[in-house]
Amino acid sequence: MSETLRRVRVLVRPKEGILDPQGEAVRRALPALGFGGVGSVHVGRLIELEVEDESQVEDMCRRLLANPTIEEYEWEVIG
Amino acid sequence: MSETLRRVRVLVRPKEGILDPQGEAVRRALPALGFGGVGSVHVGRLIELEVEDESQVEDMCRRLLANPTIEEYEWEVIG
């Protein structure tokens, strides 16, 4: 393996209009814990990985890390 | 509800040394899909929420959004 691994952060979230049961669970739980003034809540996944070749990341997202039918994703090199 | 909601992004990940089975699953799956040169992989949660009062977010993280015993978190206002 190369010595030059780049750290990449991928954020995956449900697409607009797709059911987000985890987000809904959090949204309902917050007032019950005394936290008021909360609007929308969305829960997704965070994936942080080290890669040699960042040109592969877009494909990794489409083929494994996200489900493009129901999820949107974004990624960035963080180190 | 106030008209001035701030958007907050919370990133939650397993603490160093805590088992990360999702990360391990992704790390093993990538070479099987033809993606080489991958180092560590960690999978956590992304929570995006709108709040009136960002001073509550730290408490929300500790009490609901993360499990501070086994997870670390960071958050930032994104809008």
Side-chain angles (χ1 to χ4, degrees):
Chain A
M1 188 164 301
S2 154
E3 292 148 29
T4 54
L5 290 169
R6 312 291 304 275
R7 291 189 63 218
V8 173
R9 175 175 293 161
V10 182
L11 304 181
V12 180
R13 55 176 85 74
K15 278 187 180 172
E16 192 71 31
I18 296 290
L19 197 64
D20 177 4
Q22 291 184 90
E24 187 61 15
V26 171
R27 195 184 63 76
R28 294 186 193 188
L30 285 167
L33 290 170
F35 299 111
V38 177
S40 68
V41 182
H42 297 291
V43 174
R45 289 191 305 289
L46 162 70
I47 302 119
E48 289 174 334
L49 68 168
E50 295 171 331
V51 297
E52 272 181 25
D53 178 4
E54 66 193 74
S55 76
Q56 293 190 314
V57 174
E58 189 65 29
D59 261 0
M60 290 177 182
C61 289
R62 277 199 299 261
R63 295 184 55 203
L64 180 68
L65 304 179
N67 178 342
T69 307
I70 58 171
E71 293 172 327
E72 60 178 34
Y73 60 86
E74 61 190 84
W75 62 272
E76 61 176 334
V77 176
I78 58 171
Chain B
M1 187 164 299
S2 154
E3 291 148 31
T4 54
L5 290 170
R6 311 292 304 274
R7 290 187 64 215
V8 173
R9 175 176 293 161
V10 182
L11 305 180
V12 180
R13 55 175 85 74
K15 278 187 179 172
E16 192 69 32
I18 297 288
L19 197 66
D20 178 3
Q22 291 183 89
E24 187 61 15
V26 171
R27 196 185 62 75
R28 293 185 194 189
L30 285 168
L33 290 172
F35 299 111
V38 177
S40 67
V41 181
H42 297 291
V43 175
R45 289 191 305 289
L46 162 70
I47 301 120
E48 289 175 333
L49 67 170
E50 296 171 332
V51 297
E52 271 181 25
D53 178 4
E54 66 192 73
S55 77
Q56 293 190 315
V57 174
E58 188 65 28
D59 262 0
M60 289 177 183
C61 289
R62 276 199 300 264
R63 295 184 57 204
L64 180 68
L65 304 180
N67 178 344
T69 306
I70 58 171
E71 294 172 327
E72 60 177 34
Y73 60 86
E74 62 189 83
W75 62 271
E76 63 177 333
V77 176
I78 58 171

